[in-house]
Amino acid sequence: MVMPSTTHHIVLKMSNGYNAGISPKNANITLLQKAVKAEDVSATGASGAKKATKNKLPKVSILSTGGTIASKIDYRTGAVTARFSADDILKAIPELTEIADISGRAIYNILSENMRTEYWEELARAVAEEIRSGADGIIIAHGTDTMMYTAAALAFMVRTPVPIVFVGSQRSADRPSSDNAMNAICAAKVAVSDIAEVCVVMHGSESDDICDIHRATKVRKMHTSRRDAFRSINSEPIGFVDYLTGEIHTHLEYTKRSSHQLELIGGFEPKCALVKFTPGASPDIISYYLDAGYKGIVIEGTGLGHVSSEWVPMIERATTMNVPVVITSQCLHGRVCDRVYDTGRDMLKAGAIEEEDMLPEVALVKLMWTLKLSDDLDTVKKLMTQNIAFEINERSLE
């Protein structure tokens, strides 16, 4: 296929996914076939038999937000950009139409670093609209860099009777090593399953064998580029999808389809901060956020959840200003306990809220959500220490 070029060379996309640049000098060009216009390609498959079967399949809505799964090379800049719509995903991965009666809708088309709290709310409302319209499952195509934040946001905001499945891709569709098709097909399998939770479905290994099904509040991107970058932290995955057979195998008990009535709860307070404590860091960092009018602060402490003794008075200042200070750990694995050492006990006396084995990013999203429901410090503390969307384990995973 002839591709756009920013040079004087002819750029061809080969069938193996790689590009070749050819000098036009002394080149002989033969037209093999004209491209088919995108609007002439049916997203439901080529045959009438498939279209007839389509109506008997579960209804799944793909909501596209952008990201690498819906991206390709922008030959103007040479960079990957979010350019595909939900329909483009269907045309690129026609196998999806054999799993479900698919409809597509673009909510926004951005790379995930441009995500904002108001976009989470908009996405949650769009999910609710699709479920009310009869969707048996939801797939959300999302960029991987901030997927864990958005997935956690929907886990807190949406009580769902059907599966809500986040899926992304570490490598764009242009690359021969792209994981977009396998991830999307496995996500579709989960979307028509009985797992009625907000979850993330991504490669479970570097091979094309399984995709793990992660709980939205227990998942984290742990590698910049590996296809199996996503890992469940302080928890096993719910299970996995065997790509070859399409079968789902589960490790954990999960919320089953139709266990809840659809409900949207609250929204998100954007003026919350996630602060990483480092040796010698000045407590003026906390002072800055307080003076700037922030409503809540999450601290990534060391080990069991510690900061230096110099930070304790600033934590006390925050709580006297009705600003909750939540403590998590940089260690990620394990749980916070500020009753072991003197500094930790002083932090608790100053009003710090321990967040058990919750991930720092999830604690931030939960605090944003909680503060939208109440600004009363006692109510915030009660909600933040309550297990709402599987974000807190009763016991630590060994």
Side-chain angles (χ1 to χ4, degrees), residues 311-326:
W311 281 45
V312 175
M314 202 56 67
I315 293 173
E316 187 172 11
R317 180 192 168 199
T319 55
T320 58
M321 294 173 62
N322 207 43
V323 176
V325 178
V326 169

Side-chain angles (χ1 to χ4, degrees), residues 1-5 7-14 18-30:
M1 183 182 296
V2 180
M3 305 299 290
S5 175
T7 70
H8 295 296
H9 288 78
I10 299 168
V11 178
L12 299 179
K13 171 70 69 178
M14 298 183 291
Y18 287 99
N19 291 350
I22 301 169
S23 171
K25 186 178 180 181
N26 298 324
N28 294 318
I29 300 174
T30 302

Side-chain angles (χ1 to χ4, degrees), residues 298-319:
V298 176
I299 297 176
E300 278 190 40
T302 60
L304 292 170
H306 296 136
V307 295
S308 73
S309 56
E310 292 178 318
W311 281 45
V312 175
M314 202 56 67
I315 293 173
E316 187 172 11
R317 180 192 168 199
T319 55

